[in-house]
Amino acid sequence: MCDSCGCGDTNVVPLDVQQRILSENERGAAHNRHHFVERSLVAINVMGSPGAGKTALLEATARALGGQRRIGALAGDLATDNDARRLEAAGIRAHAINTGSACHLDAAMVHRALHHMPWKDLDYLFIENVGNLVCPAVYDLGQAANVVILSVTEGEDKPLKYPVMFHKADLVLISKVDLLPHLPNIRLERIVDSLSRVMPEPHHIAVSATSGDGIDKWIDWLASHEAQRLRPEGSGEASDHHHHDHHHHEGHVHHE
Amino acid sequence: MHEYSIVQALYDNVVTHAVARGATTVQEIRVRIGQLSGVDPELLETAWRTFKVHTICEDAPMAIEVVAAEWACRECRQPAPPAGIRRCATCGGALKLVQGDEIVLERIVMEVA
């Protein structure tokens, strides 16, 4: 390594780059975000384990909104369009993104999918990521917020095992809480304690798509993001900044 | 495992720089990976070794600097321990990650004809 030994070999050139490796994805995400902001659309990146209840939560969201908002969803899965068909049956405009072997969605996949679905008149766009608590956390898609769904059956310490995913979450929906009476070893407050060890602001709502518990609070949370998008533009929000500090509003359940 | 996707993006970055400078081979790359970046350094290195075969980077090992997570209070800026409730022990403010989420290509060593 001539750059370190100083032998003066002019053919070997060290180049200081200091470049974010995912800068291309970040450009794509900024582009998507620009589209979303321009159309006053609230885009939510929905993440969670396979089986956490992402699709069921979106179905319950559609039921609760009862046509008061136009909602769309991109459903990411390695294969099948089962989720997209379920979402369509629930009245959600949906398009499947089959990732093949990829374990996550990226900004370009989202952008391509938008060409296959009318989205410009939507109020909410849910981007249902591939079921996975690791990889999706790394890729910005252009969303306004990250929502992670964690079902009570997954264990109380899941956030401690997957800190990156939960650290990136703006909101955690603790799902399937209707099952708690059948799970003597799972306590909601211990799940919340785990969240508070990886999330500086552990915003969370306990929900059940089956019983409807907490869905009203989730609907309020979504509405609070509409209020944000309607604030005066020109704040440079659609620029290259990939980290967005989300303002949190009333209606959140805070960890005490 | 998204490390292959990261390596694809990394490779594209490296080749863009190498081509722009008329490099014949790349001899080493250095990356900085945060402990809370969501990227596993070992998997990344393995992915790189597999990916670079028969490319301009064939002889380029990957040197990885792992960056430890560091937290501090968002309000009073007091440093905070790496584990525990993510609230400041001094003022109660929310903590923020000061470093440890980076996925950065730091340096390329290349041979220029």
Side-chain angles (χ1 to χ4, degrees), chain A residues 6-209:
Chain A
C7 72
D9 188 338
T10 50
N11 285 336
V12 175
V13 184
L15 179 68
D16 243 326
V17 184
Q18 304 297 343
Q19 183 180 359
R20 303 170 66 86
I21 293 173
L22 292 178
S23 54
E24 187 58 33
N25 185 68
E26 283 160 16
R27 264 194 293 281
H31 179 81
N32 291 349
R33 187 167 283 121
H34 178 80
H35 279 313
F36 298 149
V37 170
E38 196 175 51
R39 290 283 164 177
S40 288
L41 177 160
V42 180
I44 305 289
N45 184 10
V46 182
M47 297 181 281
S49 305
K54 295 183 289 298
T55 311
L57 190 276
L58 296 185
E59 289 169 324
T61 306
R63 278 197 300 275
L65 285 169
Q68 292 169 50
R69 296 287 186 281
R70 277 173 294 226
I71 61 182
L74 301 174
D77 267 308
L78 271 59
T80 84
D81 61 353
N82 293 355
D83 285 359
R85 283 191 281 126
R86 266 177 69 186
L87 294 167
E88 267 175 358
I92 299 173
R93 205 182 294 165
H95 180 77
I97 304 178
N98 284 148
T99 59
S101 60
C103 46
H104 59 272
L105 296 179
D106 65 27
M109 290 180 207
V110 168
H111 191 261
R112 274 198 301 276
L114 292 176
H115 288 283
H116 296 285
M117 187 179 86
W119 59 275
K120 291 182 177 170
D121 62 336
L122 292 175
D123 295 302
Y124 302 150
L125 174 68
F126 297 103
I127 306 167
E128 187 185 331
N129 221 309
V130 179
N132 179 337
L133 281 180
V134 184
C135 315
V138 178
Y139 292 83
D140 185 5
L141 306 178
Q143 70 279 352
N146 286 326
V147 173
V148 177
I149 305 192
L150 170 66
S151 57
V152 291
T153 51
E154 289 175 64
E156 298 167 334
D157 58 351
K158 211 67 164 195
L160 304 179
K161 292 174 175 168
Y162 297 90
V164 176
M165 172 59 77
F166 288 93
H167 178 240
K168 291 268 172 86
D170 296 293
L171 174 71
V172 174
L173 295 175
I174 302 173
S175 65
K176 309 188 189 180
V177 292
D178 55 300
L179 296 180
L180 278 172
H182 308 287
L183 303 167
N185 297 321
I186 302 280
R187 296 212 336 248
L188 194 58
E189 56 271 30
R190 286 205 294 247
I191 297 177
V192 174
D193 179 77
S194 294
L195 290 178
S196 67
R197 290 170 190 276
V198 292
M199 296 168 71
E201 305 208 47
H203 298 296
H204 63 277
I205 303 172
V207 296
S208 165

Side-chain angles (χ1 to χ4, degrees), chain A residues 3 11-21 103-104 135 138-139 164 167 196-198 200-201, chain B residues 1-2 5 9 13 17 21 32 71 74 84-87 95 103-112:
Chain A
D3 60 299
N11 285 336
V12 175
V13 184
L15 179 68
D16 243 326
V17 184
Q18 304 297 343
Q19 183 180 359
R20 303 170 66 86
I21 293 173
C103 46
H104 59 272
C135 315
V138 178
Y139 292 83
V164 176
H167 178 240
S196 67
R197 290 170 190 276
V198 292
E201 305 208 47
Chain B
M1 211 186 66
H2 54 296
S5 315
N13 289 341
H17 288 293
R21 281 162 183 81
R32 217 163 58 236
W71 298 80
R74 233 177 257 183
I85 304 291
R86 300 291 83 200
R87 286 271 158 184
L95 301 182
I103 307 173
V104 172
L105 168 60
E106 206 168 30
R107 184 174 144 96
I108 307 168
V109 181
M110 55 182 104
E111 197 168 64
V112 179

Side-chain angles (χ1 to χ4, degrees), chain B:
Chain B
M1 211 186 66
H2 54 296
E3 279 75 11
Y4 276 91
S5 315
I6 307 267
V7 159
Q8 172 79 63
L10 170 64
Y11 175 79
D12 292 345
N13 289 341
V14 170
V15 168
T16 303
H17 288 293
V19 168
R21 281 162 183 81
T24 50
T25 60
V26 175
Q27 299 208 327
E28 191 196 28
I29 62 162
R30 276 173 181 278
V31 297
R32 217 163 58 236
I33 303 297
Q35 201 189 346
L36 283 181
S37 66
V39 176
D40 183 293
E42 268 181 47
L43 291 179
L44 188 70
E45 210 273 326
T46 306
W48 175 249
R49 263 190 282 131
T50 311
F51 196 92
K52 71 185 173 129
V53 177
H54 302 312
T55 73
I56 192 173
C57 297
E58 175 132 36
D59 297 323
M62 170 188 278
I64 304 178
E65 183 196 340
V66 176
V67 182
E70 276 184 18
W71 298 80
C73 177
R74 233 177 257 183
E75 312 297 330
C76 73
R77 296 174 194 280
Q78 190 88 358
I85 304 291
R86 300 291 83 200
R87 286 271 158 184
C88 178
T90 312
C91 77
L95 301 182
K96 67 170 186 182
L97 196 59
V98 182
Q99 63 161 52
D101 64 348
E102 44 280 272
I103 307 173
V104 172
L105 168 60
E106 206 168 30
R107 184 174 144 96
I108 307 168
V109 181
M110 55 182 104
E111 197 168 64
V112 179

